[in-house]
Amino acid sequence: MDWSASLSGLAGGILIGLSATWLMATLGRIAGISGIVGSLVTARPKGDSAWRLAFLLGLISGPILLMLLGGGLGNVAGAPGEVIGAPAGGVAVMLVAGLLVGVGTGIGSGCTSGHGVCGLSRLSPRSLVATLTFLVAAIITVYVVRHLIGGGA
């Protein structure tokens, strides 16, 4: 077992929980990325943009700071020198997948971070249903891709 990766994941989870709690306690807002980005891009709320921009800059600057301090991002690609690796289906598939995720977050009234982290901690029945739906869809997708289509590792 890779204890370094486990501890990094634990630390990241704690930081996500603390930041979501801090945002709720100080501003009364839910740390759902799709809602934060969606409201910043489409609604442009007056007087409400500063914290949204700060939140997004924090999401981007955290990994950059970690890399600059020599921590790296981990190698999830499985090949030396790569961090994530090339998209499995090419850029076109990645763009379609991104659009589908955006449509899904609109239909589901939020994303995994909003429902899974923030909604479940508030004991939201809607978030419980949404999170279970995400998990079931992911399990089915992995099964289909790995066992029926034959792709993936």
Side-chain angles (χ1 to χ4, degrees):
M1 176 179 205
D2 183 7
W3 285 101
S4 174
S6 297
L7 292 176
S8 293
L10 177 63
I14 290 170
L15 289 172
I16 289 170
L18 288 174
S19 66
T21 302
W22 179 78
L23 188 62
M24 178 64 82
T26 58
L27 297 177
R29 301 292 186 167
I30 297 172
I33 305 305
S34 62
I36 292 171
V37 173
S39 295
L40 186 62
V41 172
T42 59
R44 298 212 183 254
K46 294 185 177 164
D48 201 27
S49 297
W51 76 266
R52 294 173 192 276
L53 285 171
F55 190 92
L56 293 175
L57 286 174
L59 285 176
I60 295 166
S61 64
I64 291 171
L65 180 63
L66 183 64
M67 285 176 53
L68 291 175
L69 293 174
L73 293 176
N75 186 351
V76 296
E82 291 184 6
V83 176
I84 296 176
V91 175
V93 171
M94 192 169 60
L95 288 172
V96 171
L99 289 172
L100 289 173
V101 168
V103 169
T105 60
I107 292 170
S109 299
C111 58
T112 54
S113 60
H115 285 297
V117 175
C118 302
L120 290 179
S121 65
R122 294 180 301 112
L123 303 176
S124 166
R126 180 176 79 170
S127 290
L128 177 62
V129 170
T131 303
L132 290 174
T133 303
F134 299 151
L135 289 172
V136 169
I139 290 167
I140 291 170
T141 300
V142 168
Y143 180 82
V144 168
V145 169
R146 288 195 174 177
H147 300 289
L148 300 181
I149 297 174

